[in-house]
Amino acid sequence: MKRLSLIAAAGGMIVLASCSQEELSTVQKGNGEGFPISFRAGVTTRVNPDLDYTNNPATFYVSAYAPNHMSESGITPDSLFWDEPFYLMGANLYASSSNQKWPSREEADKVEFFAYAPSLEEIQQAAITQFDPTAQNYNTLVANYKNAIQFFNLCNDNVPLDPLGQQSTTFKDVTLYKGFKLGRFYVATDISKQVDFITSHISADIPNDEDNAKLGVELKFKHQLSNIELRAFSGNDDYNIEIAGVRIGRPYTGNAIFNFCDGQGGVDFADGGQWGISKNPQRLPVEYIYGAGDEIFRMGKYNNVTGGQIIATTTHATPSQAESIMGKGGNAMVLPTINGAWGGERNPWIAPKYSAQTGNDDPYPDQNPLPWSADGEGDMYFSILLRVTLKPAGDEVNTAQVYPYGNNTVMNVVYLEKEKNSNKIIGRVPNKSIAAGANNEIVEFGWAAVPVGVNWERGKKYVYTLDFSNGVGVQDPEDPKPGTPIIGDGIKFTVSVTGWDESSSSTPVPAE
């Protein structure tokens, strides 16, 4: 995952385009008599090593207006500047290259600042990764997306929410009137391509002298998404488990709006704003399959040939030995999501034409697949890309593969090329018949799922510790026979919830 280098808290992802600025006031660049505007980045407690921002952000982007200085139309406050980049100038002080200045105290008594990072271009590029570049309509999809996104702008009651006419009645529990907004917001489905998304708002008084102006306005950034990490361990005495990817399905991945303001245009939110999630949110699995430079995560006892000797690899046999299985993709950043657990083969929307019990017969001939639910009716799961083999009885270097099954017509198989004498991944290949390098081999991996109900809040990190000691889960919802048990009783897990600037206790969660 791409990271922001921040001393301020950051959270991740994604998309935007603009309310028509023609209907807003003319941007005011200042009369050259005010003091230069500068900022300091706020500091938060860092409790997540994966997001241990020890450096200042290189750049963030700011829009500003003076609420009691109206434009010539008298409808909206006079804008000072829009989406202006502020760069780190040293000593945690930020300034704009265009030397933006405060209005005079005669013109206004305060200024509202709205800041965010990363850049709109980075946010946009992350969202576009949802589209398949090989699709015939790829260019059309990208063009439609760029026309629909919405940048941070001051919108009033008479301006459509976005160019497609998406009105506030489409969104649940949030009235979206005037205010600084971004939308439509989409999450990159490839975890490694996700970007952090942070925001900050402050209402600052006009400084009364140059010394106060030079201190800079302090911006305390807030995470506006949820951070998800999966860890794993296994105390199984019979099987070795190798992991080479993760999938989170199906969180909200799009059609959301972030609004800095309340329904009346007020901006004094403790959390910095509010999300508006569409009544029909887009939901796609987000995943990361290990690539070049990743090492397969191993649980069990293996015999590897290293320098002519047979050695046992490090085990992850207990909860204290559990480690992240997110690979170089990093933790996932997702929109706040409420959703119940997937019901496996009992849920007909997964694959109405297949069933583990009835072969290829439709087990629900009189029912249509259930639609995606924004109200937690149940379609959430984690899936782990793994390979299961028997533990060596003695000095065997290779042991029998138990999963994926040899007959891959009943499941989806992922083929990875790896070095023979290490866990290092070379890359993904389309099938097993591809010629591997002289010192490499091709290994098979399959998805194994566990249902999970979630209530993810923004600004919080959720760490799920998966226990493979008594089972490997069920076949993935994308497999031909979803919900088919693989080995044992299924995956158990616990979840701990951590605010990125405060901690809370671990909570056990049932496996199903």
Side-chain angles (χ1 to χ4, degrees), residues 81-103:
F81 48 84
W82 300 94
D83 300 326
E84 180 76 19
F86 277 74
Y87 303 97
L88 180 62
M89 298 299 183
N92 195 27
L93 198 67
Y94 297 79
S96 65
S97 59
S98 58
N99 195 27
Q100 294 291 346
K101 294 185 177 181
W102 291 92

Side-chain angles (χ1 to χ4, degrees), residues 27-187:
V27 175
Q28 305 296 311
K29 288 298 182 181
N31 55 17
E33 298 177 358
F35 306 118
I37 295 173
S38 60
F39 295 101
R40 291 174 288 124
V43 179
T44 64
T45 303
R46 298 184 298 274
V47 297
N48 176 5
D50 186 50
L51 296 175
D52 188 6
Y53 300 106
T54 56
N55 299 311
N56 293 321
T59 309
F60 51 75
Y61 300 81
V62 184
S63 294
Y65 72 92
N68 63 343
H69 185 220
M70 303 304 289
S71 63
E72 292 181 2
S73 68
I75 298 176
T76 58
D78 199 9
S79 58
L80 300 178
F81 48 84
W82 300 94
D83 300 326
E84 180 76 19
F86 277 74
Y87 303 97
L88 180 62
M89 298 299 183
N92 195 27
L93 198 67
Y94 297 79
S96 65
S97 59
S98 58
N99 195 27
Q100 294 291 346
K101 294 185 177 181
W102 291 92
S104 68
R105 294 179 69 84
E106 289 73 24
E107 292 175 307
D109 57 6
K110 65 173 55 180
V111 173
E112 303 286 348
F113 293 107
F114 300 90
Y116 66 94
S119 70
L120 296 175
E121 290 76 15
E122 289 179 274
I123 291 171
Q124 179 173 291
Q125 284 304 119
I128 288 175
T129 63
Q130 285 198 359
F131 305 134
D132 181 2
T134 64
Q136 290 185 347
N137 62 340
Y138 174 74
N139 291 333
T140 300
L141 291 172
V142 171
N144 289 342
Y145 161 74
K146 289 182 176 180
N147 290 331
I149 62 175
Q150 181 180 39
F151 299 131
F152 284 84
N153 282 328
L154 182 63
C155 304
N156 60 60
D157 294 342
N158 299 317
V159 178
L161 198 57
D162 66 40
L164 296 185
Q166 187 88 341
Q167 299 299 316
S168 61
T169 53
T170 307
F171 289 80
K172 296 174 62 235
D173 305 325
V174 175
T175 303
L176 298 169
Y177 292 106
K178 61 185 178 181
F180 278 89
K181 305 179 180 74
L182 76 91
R184 303 176 176 192
F185 190 95
Y186 290 83
V187 170

